[in-house]
Amino acid sequence: MAATSHALRCRSATTPAREIPRSLAAIGIHDMAAAGLAALLVLSVGLTDGGYYGRSATPLTVAFVAIVGLAGLTRGVSHLSRAGLATLGLLAAFAAWTALSFIWAVPGALVEQDARRAVLYVCALGAVLSVADERGRAALLRGLLGGIAVIAVTAIGIQAGSGDVVDPFFGSLVEEPVGYPNALGALMAIGVVLTTGLDLRKAASRRATRGLAAVLVLVLGLSGSRGAAVALAVGLCTLVCLRPAGDRALGALRAVVPVLIGGLGWTIVASTGAAGGRLAVDAIAIFAVAAILPSLDRVWPRRMLVALACGALVVGIALAATRPISTTSSYRTAYWAVALEGARAHPVLGTGAGSFHLTWVEHGPNGLFVRDAHSLYVEALSELGPVGLLLAVSIATVPLIAAARWRGDPISALSGAAFAVFVVHAGLDWDWEMPVVTLTALGCAGVALGRPSNATEEATA
């Protein structure tokens, strides 16, 4: 015992007093860098029409390449998982196949535009994997959630400041700053899943997160995106399945209060036609109510809560499917049918990247211009053939398999469930052409593909 005490005293005497603070500072800087990268994924394009027009694609690509290069020089690639390298390789192959399609593309296809976007995604995933180690995974998710929160607040602020503006195409649906209601809804759905799965130590942080989740549900409702509501339901169910066995039911119940409060707030806003300053007041009230109410998993018996959660899920899906605020005509089945016509006409290689608008002109009805097939998988088959479809499905599948492999790790479960929202919604809309949605999803995928920490404390804040 005396020898042990002497050794400890000697070690303490020979260890510089500044060593521990330096270590803590390094961890803090690493977390801030990871959170900053994640926020960049969302905000760099989320505040400028979702990045659809590609104005910032080149500088963002350069920035992501610089991050990958810096990380490679300082840390190497030993921390990358096989699943992460495989997904990065699949995404690079998809980008290369997209670029090569200029050889067989029909005249007028926008191959260069699609190829530049795909290269951006490759570099973004590489940057996320570079920092998604045991220390940075939780910080990445918090950064993504912070960026989504900024988008949600901006959407409410724009809508409140402009009053009851009716868009010539989208009607009164909320679309800004993303520029497309369904993309905004998908982004909010990812955010709701992230708020549900974050396990925060501080009571104030937990309450603020519940309030934020309710506001995200409100914005999702204002976007009128039924596909996002369905994708949210799938994401929450995936989160339940991937969480540790003893925490599945209670973890799912954390979403009940914010989803119900946000859904109720959306119903009130929709029925009363709240706009302008009143919309902002309603959003603040929704945040406050959800933050003040306790989480149901701390109050009621588990069986009763499970029944309530299932009922709330069914009611929420029914409301989103049958009573949106307003809607535009949906021609998705027509889009998919035309895309499949193009696939049948060019069964081996497809019509070339960025060519669906030409396929629509040839096979679709007159008088309506459509650029995208409103489904990543159908459009990949139509434009890039079976190889493109296989690559797209593989990119969507590997992160989910990785999250399922590391089932029980809270960060893997959370990131996998958030990515599942994208996987579902990308099959219903043109998320691939909206970088704000895809970059956010790739941030989640990069975390799911990272090696989990032996300690679960990294999920806390």
Side-chain angles (χ1 to χ4, degrees):
M1 188 71 175
T4 302
S5 300
H6 177 71
L8 291 174
R9 285 196 298 269
C10 292
R11 182 179 298 175
S12 176
T14 56
T15 301
R18 293 179 296 175
E19 182 174 337
I20 293 177
R22 281 182 178 178
S23 176
L24 293 175
I27 293 175
I29 292 174
H30 184 82
D31 284 354
M32 287 189 291
L37 171 62
L40 177 68
L41 292 174
V42 182
L43 299 178
S44 60
V45 289
L47 299 174
T48 54
D49 289 326
Y52 178 80
Y53 298 102
R55 299 186 183 96
S56 58
T58 299
L60 279 178
T61 300
V62 173
F64 293 141
V65 169
I67 293 172
V68 172
L70 180 62
L73 290 174
T74 58
R75 306 175 60 216
V77 296
S78 60
H79 66 285
L80 299 180
S81 66
R82 293 181 180 178
L85 292 174
T87 305
L88 187 61
L90 289 168
L91 191 54
F94 187 85
W97 190 251
T98 298
L100 284 174
S101 70
F102 83 91
I103 299 174
W104 64 82
V106 297
L110 305 175
V111 177
E112 180 182 357
Q113 177 178 310
D114 279 24
R116 290 174 64 244
R117 187 189 302 117
V119 170
L120 169 65
Y121 295 159
V122 173
C123 298
L125 180 60
V128 173
L129 291 173
S130 299
V131 300
D133 58 4
E134 295 181 356
R135 291 182 300 171
R137 298 169 77 226
L140 276 163
L141 295 183
R142 288 194 290 268
L144 290 174
L145 180 58
I148 293 172
V150 171
I151 297 296
V153 172
T154 303
I156 293 175
I158 292 175
Q159 188 74 1
S162 59
D164 191 14
V165 176
V166 177
D167 185 272
F169 185 77
F170 297 122
S172 59
L173 300 178
V174 176
E175 55 175 308
E176 297 297 346
V178 172
Y180 182 48
N182 291 342
L184 180 63
L187 199 63
M188 297 301 105
I190 293 175
V192 173
V193 172
L194 292 178
T195 59
T196 301
L198 283 176
D199 188 12
L200 305 174
R201 283 199 186 108
K202 297 180 180 179
S205 298
R206 292 196 298 268
R207 292 184 181 278
T209 303
R210 287 203 301 270
L212 173 60
V215 173
L216 297 182
V217 172
L218 168 66
V219 177
L220 191 159
L222 294 175
S223 73
S225 178
R226 293 167 290 182
V230 173
L232 172 59
V234 173
L236 292 175
C237 292
T238 303
L239 181 59
V240 172
C241 295
L242 295 180
R243 288 185 70 90
D247 190 39
R248 290 176 184 172
L250 295 181
L253 296 171
R254 295 173 183 169
V256 173
V257 168
V259 169
L260 287 180
I261 297 300
L264 179 61
W266 162 60
T267 303
I268 295 174
V269 169
S271 60
T272 60
R278 183 177 172 183
L279 175 60
V281 172
D282 288 345
I284 295 173
I286 289 170
F287 176 90
V289 171
I292 292 173
L293 289 178
S295 180
L296 292 182
D297 64 305
R298 301 175 182 271
V299 181
W300 289 353
R302 180 177 301 183
R303 291 182 179 177
M304 185 181 298
L305 288 174
V306 171
L308 178 61
C310 294
L313 186 62
V314 172
V315 171
I317 294 176
L319 285 173
T322 61
R323 294 183 60 83
I325 299 173
S326 62
T327 183
T328 56
S329 298
S330 179
Y331 298 98
R332 277 174 177 73
T333 54
Y335 303 152
W336 299 340
V338 169
L340 293 177
E341 284 289 334
R344 282 190 286 268
H346 301 79
V348 179
L349 297 175
T351 55
S355 62
F356 176 76
H357 65 287
L358 301 171
T359 304
W360 179 263
V361 171
E362 181 178 357
H363 299 284
N366 296 326
L368 182 65
F369 176 78
V370 179
R371 185 183 293 274
D372 304 296
H374 288 64
S375 173
L376 167 61
Y377 316 114
V378 175
E379 187 166 309
L381 176 62
S382 178
E383 295 185 347
L384 300 174
V387 173
L389 175 61
L390 178 62
L391 289 172
V393 171
S394 300
I395 293 167
T397 303
V398 174
L400 297 179
I401 295 176
R405 175 189 176 190
W406 291 315
R407 179 183 300 175
D409 174 67
I411 295 298
S412 298
L414 179 56
S415 55
F419 184 69
V421 174
F422 169 79
V423 171
V424 173
H425 197 267
L428 304 173
D429 223 307
W430 35 284
D431 293 347
W432 191 257
E433 288 76 21
M434 295 296 295
V436 64
V437 180
T438 303
L439 290 177
T440 302
L442 289 176
C444 298
V447 175
L449 293 164
R451 289 193 179 98
S453 173
N454 292 328
T456 59
E457 284 79 11
E458 73 163 4
T460 63

